[in-house]
Amino acid sequence: QVQLVESGGGQVQAGGSLRLSCAASGRTSSVGAMGWFRQAPGKERELVGAVSWSGSSTYYADSVKGRFTISRDNAKNTVYLQMSSLKPEDAAVYYCAARGPTGITRLLKDYEYWGQGTQVTVSS
């Protein structure tokens, strides 16, 4: 099993920045791609960004391209989401997710492990 714990959420004004962190523990040797999802009230959970095990491949939703950066430090078993130029529509609960030793996927169902989420609030 793999456990994921997110941190770094909070409240920020529009145009501001936040960095989310997700620390993995347990059988981290079995983890491949990791991703950040978000879910706003009344909306479906959506993939924001994903990163391969090596960090060489990334994916971003169109809505965050150029503003968000996903990265990982395998020595620390941690994945990050640097969020800049935040907009009110970025407000959501952000979830870290991981899958087995395979590559990036955009499909929520393909991620086996999930964190409990961290709230991001953006005020206008």
Side-chain angles (χ1 to χ4, degrees):
Q1 287 291 330
V2 175
Q3 294 78 43
L4 303 175
V5 178
E6 304 98 334
S7 61
Q11 183 169 354
V12 64
Q13 288 191 330
S17 299
L18 279 176
R19 188 176 82 154
L20 305 182
S21 300
C22 171
S25 61
R27 294 187 60 187
T28 56
S29 60
S30 66
V31 170
M34 297 184 71
W36 284 97
F37 288 75
R38 68 185 180 188
Q39 187 168 20
K43 295 189 176 181
E44 293 186 352
R45 192 171 298 189
E46 62 174 354
L47 179 63
V48 174
V51 60
S52 63
W53 181 88
S54 67
S56 61
S57 296
T58 56
Y59 165 84
Y60 296 98
D62 288 343
S63 59
V64 306
K65 280 181 181 176
R67 300 188 298 121
F68 290 11
T69 302
I70 190 170
S71 62
R72 66 192 294 169
D73 183 340
N74 289 334
K76 297 181 179 179
N77 294 316
T78 301
V79 64
Y80 305 96
L81 185 69
Q82 177 67 48
M83 306 185 293
S84 302
S85 302
L86 282 161
K87 305 175 181 180
E89 51 263 42
D90 293 319
V93 177
Y94 282 70
Y95 297 91
C96 175
R99 63 185 311 220
T102 47
I104 290 176
T105 174
R106 303 178 189 181
L107 300 177
L108 185 149
K109 68 179 182 65
D110 290 337
Y111 289 85
E112 302 170 48
Y113 309 105
W114 291 86
Q116 293 191 331
T118 185
Q119 178 73 51
V120 171
T121 303
V122 184
S123 57
S124 57

